[in-house]
Amino acid sequence: MGRHGWNSGALRWRLTALLGVGVAALALVVTLLNTLPGGGGTEGTSREGDKVHGTPATPAKTPEPDVGWGFTHTQFSADEGDGSATERAEGLLSKAGGLPQNQHIMGWGADNPEPVKGRYDFEAMDRRIDFVRASGGTPVITLCCSPDWMKGGKSGVGNTNWSQAALETAPTPEHFQDFADLAATVAKRYPDVRHFIVWNEFKGFWNDAEARWDYEGYTKLYNLVHKALKKVDKDIMVGGPYLVMDSVDPRSPDASTTFKGPWGAMDQRVLDAFAYWNKNKAGADFVVVDGSSYTKDDELLPDEFAATDKLTAVGEWVRRQSGELPLWWAEYYVEPADGNDDRAGWSETHRVAVQAAGMIAMVKGGASSGFYWNPEKEKGTDCPGCLWTPTSTGSGGGKLPMYDLVSRFGTEFPPGTAYRTVSVAADDVPNVRVLATDRTVLVVNVLDRPISAKVDGKRFEMRAYEVKWLNRQSG
């Protein structure tokens, strides 16, 4: 979708200023020692990329392919900032029993992991993994993006091109194996990470000549990475293809003639890409998609709540095609972004209500895991859609309304949940979205006004766009 920020991070290593006679000569020696012929600078890197970092959490058992509902760390997160604030955010997650937390290996808060072939810099990635461990979360790694030397760029520390175009460039085919080797290095470094997603949104895999996705190239990369990870540990869980399940206006020349609904029509090119990967993949422990409830033209059809039905339809289709593999949503969006990639046009109450409806829709489509893309900010107090307040000051790290939704949803509806049907008064059916188990009922008011609703035999009042949790007795 190309709508996400990233951060290269500050340069982690700097030469201390040298004083006295011979400064220039000494600096030249240091430069030569830290430069490989034709390979660029290596200062601050290590050859021991696969050395186990820190104290990995000991997995309780053989991993399952589902992890549940959590979030993705983005450019800014609670691994940095004021100590009191980062501890506060860490404590929030710990109290919730730990949430699944996803981190990319390059970009979105992580530095270039291998700026020179065979030389590694995992400092930023280590810090993110440390935060996941400290907060009791289940770590998930997305294997994207790739070092510059794997995609035609310059090798060497300080040569990383952090532009969006560069970051979203795929490795060239001759470096697919190098990327697979990097994936194996990451798996060895973090042995408590048992779930890996291969690449992100087919970034860089577009066939210009044929105006379609380069699904052959992606599948070749996927298969090499799958093989490399399983060689590290056969119990590692691997999934893809992390395709953006775009929908379009049904009149579009790219519209599917068979897969459509009131929310629009699926882009046939996406369906073709999924079909090729699904047929030719080396294997998969789970299947990963992402997407939005709105069309590529940012249309919410027929409205923002009904548009979430697309997420149900996509889930059902993917599950059928994949032979009922566990379904993950790596990202999901229900609010269109503006020209600056911000989603700040709705009130937080409205945003949380539509988000809740979207999560309900994904579950009804068969999803067992999903990751909220946390739009965290570095500083300030205004943070629409964020899980917690920015951690730049001591007062930060406090929970926000979206955190309450995501954390409670993950707690109440873990993998393996048995869902139940509950009664909704006929007049209330258009006004609410409902998801229930033996213990809990989640009810969402889809109207911008108060209502009186009768759900599960009980009548109660709901504020405009209210998200309400009801306790029920097992029966």
Side-chain angles (χ1 to χ4, degrees):
M1 298 174 78
R3 297 179 174 177
H4 321 309
W6 50 86
N7 179 27
S8 65
L11 189 60
R12 310 299 178 187
W13 187 94
R14 291 180 173 86
L15 287 173
T16 301
L18 299 173
L19 303 175
V21 179
V23 169
L26 182 56
L28 177 60
V29 170
V30 172
T31 299
L32 292 173
L33 288 175
N34 285 304
T35 303
L36 296 178
T42 63
E43 61 270 23
T45 65
S46 169
R47 294 187 183 279
E48 298 182 330
D50 59 359
K51 181 180 179 180
V52 174
H53 167 69
T55 306
T58 302
K61 57 182 179 180
T62 301
E64 298 292 334
D66 310 283
V67 293
W69 301 88
F71 67 94
T72 292
H73 290 280
T74 53
Q75 181 178 3
F76 305 110
S77 196
D79 59 308
E80 290 188 293
D82 182 273
S84 297
T86 58
E87 288 180 10
R88 188 172 295 113
E90 182 183 298
L92 279 178
L93 296 166
S94 296
K95 289 177 183 177
L99 293 175
Q101 299 175 41
N102 177 35
Q103 174 63 45
H104 291 64
I105 63 169
M106 179 175 174
W108 300 285
D111 290 336
N112 187 335
E114 192 178 3
V116 175
K117 185 173 183 177
R119 305 286 303 211
Y120 304 94
D121 177 8
F122 283 115
E123 184 174 347
M125 188 73 181
D126 289 347
R127 189 173 58 249
R128 287 282 169 97
I129 294 297
D130 286 342
F131 179 83
V132 178
R133 290 171 177 170
S135 60
T138 299
V140 175
I141 286 179
T142 293
L143 296 165
C144 182
C145 293
S146 68
D148 293 56
W149 60 271
M150 294 188 191
K151 53 195 179 190
K154 292 182 179 180
S155 175
V157 172
N159 288 331
T160 300
N161 183 346
W162 290 103
S163 69
Q164 181 173 352
L167 189 68
E168 296 186 353
T169 297
T172 55
E174 59 266 29
H175 288 296
F176 283 178
Q177 185 58 57
D178 288 321
F179 187 78
D181 293 341
L182 173 58
T185 297
V186 172
K188 292 174 183 177
R189 187 173 187 84
Y190 311 115
D192 49 339
V193 179
R194 314 296 285 160
H195 299 83
F196 290 84
I197 303 172
V198 181
W199 208 243
N200 172 307
E201 296 184 336
F202 267 47
K203 284 178 168 59
F205 287 99
W206 179 257
N207 185 325
D208 286 313
E210 299 184 26
R212 65 167 177 82
W213 291 108
D214 175 19
Y215 38 73
E216 299 96 339
Y218 169 79
T219 303
K220 182 177 180 181
L221 176 70
Y222 174 91
N223 287 344
L224 288 171
V225 172
H226 183 276
K227 180 180 179 180
L229 292 174
K230 291 294 186 178
K231 186 175 180 180
V232 172
D233 186 340
K234 63 180 178 58
D235 289 331
I236 285 177
M237 301 280 106
V238 186
Y242 202 153
L243 264 169
V244 184
M245 305 303 287
D246 281 329
S247 54
V248 297
D249 187 299
R251 296 167 295 183
S252 167
D254 300 316
S256 169
T257 58
T258 58
F259 190 1
K260 53 187 176 181
W263 40 265
M266 290 302 297
D267 188 325
Q268 186 60 47
R269 297 169 299 180
V270 173
L271 304 183
D272 292 343
F274 185 92
Y276 183 90
W277 171 83
N278 191 43
K279 179 180 178 181
N280 295 281
K281 65 183 182 300
D285 299 292
F286 53 90
V287 61
V288 187
V289 296
D290 90 345
S292 61
S293 59
Y294 44 87
T295 70
K296 288 181 69 175
D297 296 321
D298 289 345
E299 292 183 290
L300 290 161
L301 303 174
D303 61 60
E304 69 270 38
F305 286 96
T308 64
D309 290 340
K310 169 192 168 180
L311 306 179
T312 299
V314 168
E316 291 173 341
W317 183 87
V318 169
R319 292 268 289 163
R320 288 195 302 270
Q321 301 299 314
S322 68
E324 304 299 318
L325 280 175
L327 171 61
W328 292 24
W329 283 85
E331 304 173 43
Y332 47 90
Y333 301 93
V334 297
E335 179 183 3
D338 62 18
N340 296 320
D341 194 27
D342 291 325
R343 293 174 173 84
W346 292 351
S347 69
E348 201 67 14
T349 302
H350 187 188
R351 179 176 295 111
V352 171
V354 185
Q355 176 76 12
M359 297 175 81
I360 290 171
M362 286 185 284
V363 166
K364 290 185 175 180
S368 55
S369 302
F371 293 87
Y372 178 71
W373 191 273
N374 186 21
E376 200 64 40
K377 291 187 176 182
E378 182 178 19
K379 60 183 67 174
T381 56
D382 184 33
C383 202
C386 296
L387 297 178
W388 53 77
T389 54
T391 56
S392 58
T393 65
S395 61
K399 68 176 180 178
L400 292 170
M402 195 64 76
Y403 176 82
D404 282 333
L405 172 64
V406 173
S407 61
R408 180 89 185 256
F409 198 96
T411 299
E412 298 290 353
F413 308 125
T417 294
Y419 294 98
R420 301 289 184 246
T421 300
V422 295
S423 62
V424 179
D427 291 345
D428 295 322
V429 170
N431 303 334
V432 297
R433 293 292 175 105
V434 177
L435 186 65
T437 67
D438 285 337
R439 305 183 314 274
T440 305
V441 183
L442 170 60
V443 186
V444 181
N445 177 8
V446 306
L447 301 179
D448 189 16
R449 62 173 176 81
I451 63 172
S452 175
K454 187 175 183 181
V455 177
D456 200 22
K458 301 174 183 178
R459 183 163 293 280
F460 48 87
E461 304 301 310
M462 297 190 76
R463 299 184 301 274
Y465 295 140
E466 183 177 1
V467 174
K468 185 182 286 290
W469 297 87
L470 307 176
N471 294 321
R472 61 197 308 242
Q473 296 180 351
S474 299

